[in-house]
Amino acid sequence: MGSTWGNKFKVSIFGESHGHGIGAVIDGLPSGITIDLERVQHELNRRAARGNPLATPRKEGDQIEILSGIFNGKTTGAPLAGLICNENTRSGDYAKTKDLMRPGHADYAANARYDGFQDYRGGGHFSGRLTAPLVFAGAIAKEILRETQPEIGIGSRIVSIANVKDEPIKDWKRYETLSKGFENPAFPLYHANLEDPMKQAIIAAMEDDDSVGGIVEGFITGVKPGIGNPFFESIESRLSALLFSIPAVKGVTFGAGFDMAEHRGSETNDALRIENGQIETLTNNNGGINGGISNGMPIVFQLAFKPTPSIGKEQQTINLAEMKDATLKIEGRHDPCIVVRAFPVVEAVTAICMADFLL
Amino acid sequence: MGSTWGNKFKVSIFGESHGHGIGAVIDGLPSGITIDLERVQHELNRRAARGNPLATPRKEGDQIEILSGIFNGKTTGAPLAGLICNENTRSGDYAKTKDLMRPGHADYAANARYDGFQDYRGGGHFSGRLTAPLVFAGAIAKEILRETQPEIGIGSRIVSIANVKDEPIKDWKRYETLSKGFENPAFPLYHANLEDPMKQAIIAAMEDDDSVGGIVEGFITGVKPGIGNPFFESIESRLSALLFSIPAVKGVTFGAGFDMAEHRGSETNDALRIENGQIETLTNNNGGINGGISNGMPIVFQLAFKPTPSIGKEQQTINLAEMKDATLKIEGRHDPCIVVRAFPVVEAVTAICMADFLL
Amino acid sequence: MGSTWGNKFKVSIFGESHGHGIGAVIDGLPSGITIDLERVQHELNRRAARGNPLATPRKEGDQIEILSGIFNGKTTGAPLAGLICNENTRSGDYAKTKDLMRPGHADYAANARYDGFQDYRGGGHFSGRLTAPLVFAGAIAKEILRETQPEIGIGSRIVSIANVKDEPIKDWKRYETLSKGFENPAFPLYHANLEDPMKQAIIAAMEDDDSVGGIVEGFITGVKPGIGNPFFESIESRLSALLFSIPAVKGVTFGAGFDMAEHRGSETNDALRIENGQIETLTNNNGGINGGISNGMPIVFQLAFKPTPSIGKEQQTINLAEMKDATLKIEGRHDPCIVVRAFPVVEAVTAICMADFLL
Amino acid sequence: MGSTWGNKFKVSIFGESHGHGIGAVIDGLPSGITIDLERVQHELNRRAARGNPLATPRKEGDQIEILSGIFNGKTTGAPLAGLICNENTRSGDYAKTKDLMRPGHADYAANARYDGFQDYRGGGHFSGRLTAPLVFAGAIAKEILRETQPEIGIGSRIVSIANVKDEPIKDWKRYETLSKGFENPAFPLYHANLEDPMKQAIIAAMEDDDSVGGIVEGFITGVKPGIGNPFFESIESRLSALLFSIPAVKGVTFGAGFDMAEHRGSETNDALRIENGQIETLTNNNGGINGGISNGMPIVFQLAFKPTPSIGKEQQTINLAEMKDATLKIEGRHDPCIVVRAFPVVEAVTAICMADFLL
């Protein structure tokens, strides 16, 4: 369980890191929507972060193959299935460390959940690689939104890496501009000059056989007021469920988030006004959502990503088969900071969520 | 949409603040479980916070009436329905302010969502009063868990109110003790001496016709490793969806949350060890969850509550009918800090979530 | 489980024959739809069949009380909850026969399912009385359809009772007329002259302490082509799931049903033609559905109702508590033929199904 | 929508007749279940009916390729995905007849549903070929049941083809024997001597450029009492939804079905008795189900299959693009009777249904 989501835009993802392939099936699509497969592949390439020296050098092709649901370049209305074949991977390596539970990873929890039958190679179904099907589904969602809701913009930025932090964006009108793109799309920042210190923080951790976490902000512009629902199907509930399904996310906030808890109502209530015949709020502490429903302001949310648990440093752990303490040094090179590859995933699940609300 | 949740423990809530009644229907219950209606009513009374000088003085009876699903004191296995009749409320008051959108409330968003047909009296379906059906459903979930999973403990504490903050609990073994109860159950604190300054912060806001927010921590002890799922049905995804359905929640974190984003993997990975024949982690930065699945440590999460949007101060807003700017002073007395009534709601939805996972 | 249905028009029914009350919660309604509560009550009265000498003389008030979801006569968009309180019933009677499993009833299966904790009084949650919440939900669905899809007509007729059979309606254009109403709405027949022999068949069974079954046909006119889905969410799949949830239904067919199995494709394929600029089929053997999707012809289906299992004749059965053979004579008067009260229920679930497809 | 089903055993099917491939993703599987891929392939071969002179001679390889979810021969607990690549098919043929709506097929309804964007080649997603993913999912369900519920037997028989009819099986104990297998598994009959006349009926239709329908009976033995639910999740509701998702099914009955409608309660109530310490019913008119829940007797149901709509005879239809009447002769050879290939599909969806109930 756990790999199917959606009311109207239904996604099923499948795959394991070293199995035959990974992919997604999407049901509920309207027919006749043009799918530009180059744009879809581009989204997958953004996640793959090929050539990025700060990302894992594992060469992932991530070439998407459409199995069904597109005919003459347009959706047929039948389920759209996409497959990414896993390329040759050296799976034999994993057998010898399979009993050593990697701290911070799902190894031990998954062992308990699946009685040891899970595919342990490279994390199996828990691998960060499974974000590729999410990105594929999100890319399809973006195509749908592009054609049916062209006023909607979805974007993301890196807010912090380790202790290097960018500012909060108080003026919500800035998001309109940011939704058009960032100076460096491969490292989207509100203040572009932070790219260097952020990268330095990653390199410093990497050189120390360690990793760092960070914060990503996602945003959605152009959402009309009145989208969403109260309670269990609020925008926050639906979107947070998707955001927390991204590996390594440990916190999700909307609008001013935890900062609101420290302030008074008179400071955080977003006063309303009419400006050029349009209703708007002065501030956007509520992140575009009241009572689970959009209020017309940009929907803004932040995610805390923990440091990549795979580190080269020696760690204390257990050997599960022998039920005794052990130490572990994770070999090979891994992403020293998942944030630099995670923001396209954040955008993808955001697009999935909006497609589900808006179809 | 939005008022139905659950795979195995299915809850449907209904009601509006000034309608005939509010309640919940729960489907999927096992038969033969003893339901102690006094304990159920006690949970509702905790939420109602009767006699608490810091809570709204509106006298809410919140007397639950069981319509079906219990026979001879035990669940029948058929849907369990409970009703709380709304007592006489002066609804006429609301007509004159119905076009003034209360900042921070759902008024404007709901107007857009429901084309103005929503029951606007007292917030209608968006009223905090709808947390009573949640607490009712949670109380039933607690009864189920008590009988079928007695090792599980669910609790909550107030972490902060305004700027008065309690410490994080680093030693996860403390949660075992806390799950037995707090010194003052009506104001659960890790450091009981903070009760006074926290209350002072509330009173100060109240005297200023204002309100304050705060942070609540929820926790679950005694959960075996292996509960939960990857991706969309992870514990984080399922639980956050419920937590964000509590009105006024703007942030949810698990374990060390946003703090993890500032640290390195070597600091946040929870090393494993064997202690007295049991597998445990030294720290619990992951809040008891890896890959969406429990790892046997206490499940710990925090919620940011925004300040109550209903404040007596004059606020800038709009008159929606006349489409012009307006000012608004919300009359009557309202909860100056929702946190003091919200923690039983946090526990309730936590119990619902666990019942859904464990049935 | 089992008491919640729907994707867009979500219904949760609850209640037991001798509990406090029965009812339904409906989520997903559009706001602003006028609900005429007199028409709603009229549907419940049709089912209650008060004054019908062929129906059980148990006086069922079936007065619906709206708990939420309607404000100023229109839907608010929040869940619409309705309650029918069970009036004083002599429940004590049931204790002495509770171990005698009534043949043809759910008693024995329910005992196994709920370990004997089900409310056995009057069949509990399995009582035919639970069709009242279905009718209530269907009446709300009819109101929604009336306002949003006025071209749609939903009707039903009695096709047979015992061995007295009315003709199949070969000319599909007749359904347009029938959707306006029947000569005797309380006993809807294609050939009104069969009312007498059908009633005689019921009376004959009744006088013999026995019961009879029959066939009901439901139909939907005015459905545009293109409604429905392939496979699991076909009109047949969705509608049959609802039809089989009506107690006593043992068969469901669409169009010519089992008759098609005996014929050749050249006889059963519905040839298409253009008539007055409209596409239509000559025959309607497929009952208005191809590939799970409407083709614009009337949707026609039939249901087999088994004879009421409650009969006065002595029957062989078991005493479950004593695990020995026993005999049973069911006392009191029961419906000798459920068909005469079932057709409003058929219409109700049909309306629910269509509302779910069309919202 | 429409291609995803299940609460615990969740199936998503995808594919189009002439697309890249067809397949299914199954989520919710327990881990550690041995999957014998030869048996799985065997089920697919049964459906493909290779070498059967009465089936279409189109050579369908139907070779299943496992993409994920199996590791070392056992389920991992992660989604199990299977793909059948479509082999080279002459798709160009279809363009010239795409505007001629084939009577009895989904062509016209699908055109309306998908605004003409559906993949029309070979029926696209509506092709009988999509029963292969159903059979694949059913084969996995059978593997799960084999290991976890070995006492359960699932079988099917041909009851009639055209006017050649086999007898009803009144003695329910016979189903135990039949669940072990039939004399000719490729043509399962209660009375094996009917094979010849049934085949003659098919050949006669074929020689006449026509097709015939028939009836299939499915059965499940070894189901303990107490499986299932009342109302919307009754065995009848769940199973009929799946059975009606098989192309060409126009009727589904349980137990004595429509025959019950003609009889009296005293004839159709299944009297209970204790026999060798076991509770059983004398007759099984209710087909093993009361109140939607199993009663321990064999679950028995029948399906009406309409004649294959693809026939060589000239048919009256329309040209949709030109909006005028037309005639159509369907070329190529097609299954003259779908029944001879449909019974493995009936078993497959039955296994899916039982796995969903029993996991």
Side-chain angles (χ1 to χ4, degrees):
Chain A
M1 279 302 165
S3 305
T4 302
W5 187 90
N7 293 324
K8 298 185 219 155
F9 184 98
K10 270 191 210 281
V11 188
S12 284
I13 61 170
F14 63 87
E16 282 139 338
S17 184
H18 287 62
H20 201 100
I22 60 179
V25 181
I26 308 163
D27 198 8
L29 296 179
S31 61
I33 305 287
T34 302
I35 302 293
D36 181 327
L37 286 175
E38 284 188 27
R39 277 198 300 257
V40 171
Q41 186 61 54
H42 172 69
E43 291 292 324
L44 284 160
N45 295 348
R46 283 176 77 201
R47 191 207 71 94
R50 223 135 352 126
N52 184 334
L54 296 179
T56 171
R58 174 175 166 181
K59 220 173 124 219
E60 291 174 332
D62 285 4
Q63 196 64 36
I64 192 74
E65 190 181 346
I66 302 298
L67 300 173
S68 67
I70 300 180
F71 179 50
N72 293 335
K74 291 179 192 291
T75 55
T76 61
L80 195 165
L83 173 66
I84 297 164
C85 286
N86 286 329
E87 284 158 32
N88 279 338
T89 45
R90 285 175 302 159
S91 305
D93 299 0
Y94 291 97
K96 46 185 174 166
T97 54
K98 82 183 176 71
D99 297 323
L100 294 174
M101 304 292 98
R102 294 170 302 162
H105 273 288
D107 297 359
Y108 172 59
N111 251 291
R113 172 73 173 78
Y114 301 109
D115 293 318
F117 290 105
Q118 77 280 8
D119 184 349
Y120 52 78
R121 298 168 301 166
H125 188 55
F126 293 86
S127 167
R129 193 158 166 62
L130 264 287
T131 56
L134 286 179
V135 168
F136 164 63
I140 298 296
K142 282 186 176 182
E143 294 291 296
I144 306 290
L145 292 173
R146 172 190 300 264
E147 197 158 320
T148 61
Q149 314 274 343
E151 66 286 0
I152 286 184
I154 291 174
S156 63
R157 66 177 180 115
I158 298 175
V159 172
S160 76
I161 284 181
N163 287 305
V164 187
K165 290 188 190 178
D166 204 341
E167 267 184 280
I169 301 177
K170 295 283 187 190
D171 176 8
W172 58 260
K173 302 202 175 185
R174 290 295 179 89
Y175 288 102
E176 289 295 340
T177 320
L178 295 177
S179 73
K180 307 282 180 280
F182 285 82
E183 205 174 308
N184 179 4
F187 209 99
L189 287 168
Y190 186 48
H191 291 100
N193 61 317
L194 289 171
E195 182 170 336
D196 235 50
M198 284 186 179
K199 285 186 167 174
Q200 286 309 323
I202 298 174
I203 289 164
M206 192 165 53
E207 287 174 353
D208 213 12
D209 283 334
D210 215 332
S211 63
V212 284
I215 297 173
V216 171
E217 184 174 89
F219 53 87
I220 320 169
T221 57
V223 180
K224 281 180 312 204
I227 306 302
N229 300 290
F231 298 103
F232 313 126
E233 308 244 336
S234 68
I235 295 181
E236 292 110 324
S237 289
R238 297 291 284 163
L239 186 48
S240 69
L242 282 170
L243 296 171
F244 275 119
S245 69
I246 303 174
V249 172
K250 296 306 278 190
V252 169
T253 62
F254 290 85
F258 278 83
D259 203 44
M260 288 182 97
E262 298 184 23
H263 287 87
R264 288 190 168 186
S266 58
E267 298 165 310
T268 58
N269 280 353
D270 298 312
L272 290 128
R273 70 170 169 193
I274 291 166
E275 188 78 1
N276 303 321
Q278 298 288 317
I279 296 165
E280 59 176 45
T281 58
L282 276 70
T283 51
N284 188 20
N285 292 306
N286 283 284
I289 308 167
N290 291 118
I293 296 170
S294 65
N295 64 14
M297 300 296 102
I299 295 175
V300 183
F301 49 95
Q302 297 202 342
L303 300 87
F305 281 87
K306 68 177 187 180
T308 322
S310 291
I311 57 174
K313 270 194 160 45
E314 186 174 282
Q315 297 183 81
Q316 178 180 344
T317 187
I318 58 164
N319 181 312
L320 190 64
E322 303 176 2
M323 269 301 276
K324 60 182 191 193
D325 289 331
T327 57
L328 170 71
K329 279 176 86 158
I330 296 174
E331 288 174 22
R333 254 185 68 199
H334 294 268
D335 291 289
C337 179
I338 202 65
V339 168
V340 299
R341 292 178 63 191
F343 61 86
V345 186
V346 171
E347 292 177 28
V349 301
T350 303
I352 291 171
C353 187
M354 291 317 288
D356 195 62
F357 271 120
L358 291 164
L359 277 182
Chain B
M1 279 303 166
S3 305
T4 301
W5 188 90
N7 294 324
K8 298 186 219 155
F9 184 98
K10 269 190 211 280
V11 188
S12 284
I13 61 170
F14 63 85
E16 283 139 338
S17 184
H18 287 62
H20 199 100
I22 59 178
V25 181
I26 309 163
D27 197 8
L29 297 178
S31 61
I33 305 288
T34 302
I35 303 293
D36 182 328
L37 287 175
E38 283 187 28
R39 276 198 300 258
V40 171
Q41 185 62 52
H42 171 69
E43 290 292 325
L44 284 161
N45 295 346
R46 284 177 76 202
R47 191 207 73 94
R50 224 137 350 131
N52 184 335
L54 297 179
T56 170
R58 173 175 166 179
K59 219 172 125 221
E60 291 174 332
D62 285 5
Q63 195 65 37
I64 190 75
E65 190 180 345
I66 301 298
L67 300 174
S68 68
I70 300 180
F71 179 49
N72 293 334
K74 290 178 192 293
T75 54
T76 61
L80 196 166
L83 173 66
I84 297 165
C85 286
N86 285 329
E87 286 158 30
N88 280 339
T89 44
R90 286 175 302 159
S91 304
D93 300 0
Y94 292 97
K96 47 184 173 167
T97 53
K98 81 183 178 70
D99 297 323
L100 295 174
M101 303 292 100
R102 294 170 302 163
H105 273 288
D107 298 359
Y108 172 59
N111 251 291
R113 173 73 173 78
Y114 300 109
D115 292 319
F117 291 105
Q118 77 281 7
D119 184 349
Y120 52 78
R121 297 169 302 166
H125 189 54
F126 294 86
S127 166
R129 192 155 167 63
L130 264 287
T131 56
L134 287 178
V135 168
F136 165 63
I140 298 296
K142 282 187 175 181
E143 295 291 296
I144 306 291
L145 292 172
R146 173 189 300 265
E147 197 159 318
T148 61
Q149 313 274 343
E151 67 287 0
I152 286 184
I154 291 175
S156 64
R157 66 176 180 114
I158 298 174
V159 172
S160 77
I161 283 180
N163 288 305
V164 188
K165 290 191 190 177
D166 204 340
E167 267 184 278
I169 300 177
K170 295 283 187 190
D171 176 6
W172 57 260
K173 303 204 174 186
R174 289 295 179 90
Y175 288 102
E176 287 296 339
T177 321
L178 294 177
S179 73
K180 306 284 180 279
F182 285 82
E183 205 174 309
N184 178 3
F187 209 99
L189 288 167
Y190 186 47
H191 291 100
N193 60 317
L194 289 172
E195 183 170 336
D196 236 48
M198 285 186 178
K199 286 185 168 174
Q200 286 310 320
I202 299 174
I203 290 165
M206 191 164 54
E207 288 174 352
D208 212 13
D209 283 334
D210 215 332
S211 64
V212 284
I215 297 173
V216 171
E217 184 175 270
F219 53 86
I220 319 169
T221 57
V223 180
K224 281 180 311 204
I227 306 302
N229 301 291
F231 298 103
F232 313 125
E233 308 245 336
S234 68
I235 296 181
E236 290 111 324
S237 288
R238 298 290 284 163
L239 187 48
S240 69
L242 283 170
L243 295 171
F244 274 119
S245 70
I246 304 174
V249 171
K250 297 305 279 189
V252 169
T253 62
F254 290 85
F258 278 82
D259 202 45
M260 288 181 97
E262 298 184 22
H263 287 88
R264 289 191 167 185
S266 59
E267 297 166 309
T268 58
N269 280 353
D270 298 312
L272 289 128
R273 70 170 170 195
I274 291 165
E275 188 78 2
N276 304 321
Q278 299 288 318
I279 295 164
E280 60 177 45
T281 59
L282 276 70
T283 51
N284 187 20
N285 291 306
N286 283 285
I289 308 166
N290 292 117
I293 295 170
S294 65
N295 64 14
M297 300 296 103
I299 295 174
V300 182
F301 49 95
Q302 298 202 341
L303 300 88
F305 281 88
K306 70 177 186 180
T308 323
S310 291
I311 56 174
K313 270 194 162 43
E314 186 174 281
Q315 299 182 78
Q316 178 181 346
T317 188
I318 57 164
N319 181 310
L320 190 65
E322 303 176 1
M323 270 302 276
K324 61 183 190 191
D325 290 330
T327 57
L328 170 71
K329 278 176 87 158
I330 296 175
E331 288 174 24
R333 255 183 67 199
H334 294 268
D335 291 289
C337 180
I338 202 65
V339 168
V340 300
R341 292 178 64 190
F343 62 85
V345 185
V346 171
E347 292 177 29
V349 300
T350 303
I352 290 171
C353 187
M354 292 316 288
D356 196 63
F357 272 120
L358 290 163
L359 277 181
Chain C
M1 278 303 165
S3 304
T4 302
W5 188 90
N7 294 324
K8 298 186 220 154
F9 184 99
K10 269 190 211 280
V11 188
S12 283
I13 61 170
F14 63 86
E16 282 139 338
S17 183
H18 287 61
H20 200 100
I22 60 180
V25 181
I26 308 162
D27 198 7
L29 296 179
S31 60
I33 305 287
T34 303
I35 303 293
D36 181 328
L37 287 175
E38 284 188 27
R39 277 198 299 258
V40 171
Q41 185 62 52
H42 171 69
E43 290 291 325
L44 284 159
N45 296 347
R46 283 176 76 202
R47 190 207 72 92
R50 226 140 345 133
N52 184 335
L54 296 178
T56 171
R58 173 175 167 180
K59 217 173 126 220
E60 291 174 333
D62 285 5
Q63 195 65 37
I64 191 74
E65 190 182 345
I66 301 298
L67 300 173
S68 67
I70 300 180
F71 180 49
N72 294 335
K74 290 178 192 293
T75 54
T76 61
L80 196 165
L83 173 66
I84 297 164
C85 286
N86 285 329
E87 285 157 30
N88 279 340
T89 45
R90 286 176 301 159
S91 304
D93 299 0
Y94 291 97
K96 47 185 172 165
T97 53
K98 82 181 177 73
D99 297 323
L100 295 175
M101 304 292 99
R102 293 169 303 163
H105 273 288
D107 297 0
Y108 172 59
N111 252 291
R113 172 73 173 78
Y114 301 109
D115 292 319
F117 291 105
Q118 77 281 7
D119 184 348
Y120 52 78
R121 298 168 302 167
H125 188 55
F126 293 86
S127 167
R129 193 157 166 63
L130 264 288
T131 56
L134 287 179
V135 168
F136 165 63
I140 298 296
K142 282 187 176 182
E143 295 291 296
I144 306 292
L145 292 172
R146 173 190 299 265
E147 197 158 319
T148 62
Q149 314 274 342
E151 67 287 0
I152 286 185
I154 291 175
S156 64
R157 67 176 180 116
I158 299 175
V159 170
S160 77
I161 283 179
N163 287 306
V164 188
K165 290 188 189 176
D166 205 340
E167 268 184 277
I169 300 177
K170 296 282 187 192
D171 176 6
W172 58 260
K173 302 204 175 183
R174 290 295 178 89
Y175 288 104
E176 288 295 340
T177 321
L178 295 177
S179 73
K180 306 284 180 278
F182 285 83
E183 205 175 308
N184 179 2
F187 209 99
L189 288 168
Y190 186 48
H191 290 101
N193 61 317
L194 289 170
E195 182 170 337
D196 234 50
M198 284 185 178
K199 286 186 167 172
Q200 287 309 321
I202 298 174
I203 289 164
M206 192 164 52
E207 287 173 353
D208 212 13
D209 283 335
D210 216 332
S211 64
V212 284
I215 297 173
V216 171
E217 183 174 271
F219 52 87
I220 319 170
T221 58
V223 180
K224 281 181 310 204
I227 307 301
N229 300 291
F231 298 103
F232 313 127
E233 308 244 338
S234 68
I235 296 180
E236 291 109 325
S237 289
R238 298 291 284 164
L239 187 48
S240 70
L242 282 170
L243 295 170
F244 275 119
S245 70
I246 304 174
V249 171
K250 298 305 280 189
V252 169
T253 61
F254 290 85
F258 278 81
D259 202 45
M260 288 181 97
E262 297 184 23
H263 287 89
R264 289 193 168 182
S266 59
E267 298 165 307
T268 58
N269 280 354
D270 297 313
L272 289 127
R273 70 168 169 194
I274 292 164
E275 188 79 2
N276 303 322
Q278 299 286 319
I279 296 164
E280 60 176 45
T281 59
L282 276 69
T283 51
N284 188 20
N285 293 306
N286 284 284
I289 308 166
N290 292 117
I293 296 170
S294 64
N295 64 14
M297 298 297 101
I299 295 174
V300 183
F301 49 95
Q302 297 203 342
L303 300 87
F305 281 87
K306 69 176 186 180
T308 323
S310 291
I311 56 174
K313 270 195 162 42
E314 186 175 279
Q315 298 183 81
Q316 177 180 347
T317 188
I318 58 164
N319 181 312
L320 191 64
E322 302 176 3
M323 270 302 276
K324 63 182 187 193
D325 290 331
T327 57
L328 170 71
K329 279 176 85 158
I330 296 175
E331 289 175 22
R333 256 184 65 198
H334 294 268
D335 291 290
C337 180
I338 202 66
V339 168
V340 299
R341 292 179 64 190
F343 61 86
V345 185
V346 171
E347 292 176 29
V349 300
T350 304
I352 291 171
C353 187
M354 291 317 289
D356 195 63
F357 272 120
L358 291 164
L359 278 181
Chain D
M1 278 303 165
S3 304
T4 301
W5 187 90
N7 294 324
K8 298 186 221 153
F9 184 98
K10 269 190 211 280
V11 188
S12 284
I13 61 170
F14 63 86
E16 283 139 338
S17 183
H18 287 63
H20 201 100
I22 59 179
V25 181
I26 309 163
D27 198 8
L29 297 178
S31 61
I33 304 287
T34 302
I35 302 293
D36 182 328
L37 287 175
E38 284 188 27
R39 277 198 300 258
V40 171
Q41 185 63 51
H42 171 69
E43 290 292 325
L44 283 160
N45 296 346
R46 283 176 77 202
R47 190 207 73 93
R50 222 135 353 126
N52 184 334
L54 296 178
T56 170
R58 172 174 166 180
K59 219 173 125 220
E60 292 174 331
D62 285 3
Q63 196 64 39
I64 191 74
E65 190 181 347
I66 301 297
L67 300 174
S68 67
I70 300 180
F71 180 49
N72 294 334
K74 291 179 193 291
T75 55
T76 61
L80 195 165
L83 173 66
I84 298 164
C85 286
N86 285 329
E87 284 156 31
N88 279 340
T89 45
R90 285 176 301 158
S91 305
D93 299 0
Y94 292 97
K96 45 184 173 167
T97 53
K98 83 182 176 70
D99 297 323
L100 295 174
M101 304 292 98
R102 294 169 302 163
H105 274 288
D107 297 359
Y108 172 59
N111 251 291
R113 172 74 173 78
Y114 301 109
D115 291 319
F117 291 106
Q118 77 281 6
D119 185 348
Y120 52 78
R121 297 169 301 167
H125 188 55
F126 293 86
S127 168
R129 192 156 167 63
L130 264 287
T131 57
L134 287 179
V135 168
F136 164 63
I140 299 297
K142 282 187 176 181
E143 294 291 296
I144 306 291
L145 292 173
R146 172 190 299 265
E147 197 157 320
T148 61
Q149 314 274 342
E151 67 286 0
I152 286 184
I154 291 174
S156 64
R157 67 175 180 116
I158 298 174
V159 172
S160 77
I161 283 179
N163 287 306
V164 187
K165 290 188 191 177
D166 205 341
E167 268 184 278
I169 301 177
K170 295 282 187 191
D171 176 6
W172 58 260
K173 303 205 174 184
R174 289 297 178 89
Y175 288 103
E176 288 295 340
T177 320
L178 294 177
S179 72
K180 306 285 180 276
F182 285 83
E183 205 175 307
N184 178 2
F187 209 100
L189 288 168
Y190 185 48
H191 290 101
N193 60 318
L194 289 171
E195 182 169 338
D196 235 47
M198 284 186 178
K199 286 186 167 172
Q200 287 309 321
I202 298 173
I203 290 164
M206 191 164 53
E207 287 174 353
D208 213 13
D209 283 335
D210 215 332
S211 63
V212 284
I215 297 173
V216 171
E217 183 175 271
F219 53 88
I220 320 169
T221 58
V223 180
K224 281 179 311 203
I227 306 302
N229 300 291
F231 297 103
F232 313 125
E233 307 245 337
S234 68
I235 296 181
E236 290 110 325
S237 289
R238 297 291 284 164
L239 187 48
S240 70
L242 282 170
L243 296 170
F244 274 119
S245 70
I246 303 174
V249 171
K250 297 305 279 190
V252 168
T253 62
F254 291 85
F258 278 82
D259 203 44
M260 289 181 96
E262 298 185 22
H263 288 88
R264 289 191 167 184
S266 59
E267 297 165 310
T268 58
N269 281 353
D270 298 312
L272 290 126
R273 69 169 170 195
I274 291 164
E275 188 78 1
N276 303 322
Q278 298 287 318
I279 296 164
E280 60 176 45
T281 58
L282 275 69
T283 51
N284 187 22
N285 292 307
N286 283 285
I289 308 166
N290 291 117
I293 296 169
S294 64
N295 65 14
M297 299 297 102
I299 294 174
V300 183
F301 49 94
Q302 297 203 341
L303 300 88
F305 281 88
K306 69 177 185 180
T308 323
S310 292
I311 57 175
K313 270 194 161 43
E314 186 175 280
Q315 298 182 81
Q316 179 181 345
T317 189
I318 58 164
N319 180 312
L320 191 64
E322 303 175 1
M323 270 301 276
K324 62 182 189 193
D325 290 331
T327 57
L328 169 71
K329 279 177 85 158
I330 296 176
E331 287 176 23
R333 255 184 66 197
H334 294 268
D335 291 288
C337 180
I338 202 65
V339 168
V340 299
R341 293 179 63 190
F343 61 87
V345 186
V346 171
E347 293 177 28
V349 300
T350 303
I352 291 171
C353 187
M354 292 316 289
D356 195 62
F357 271 120
L358 291 163
L359 277 181

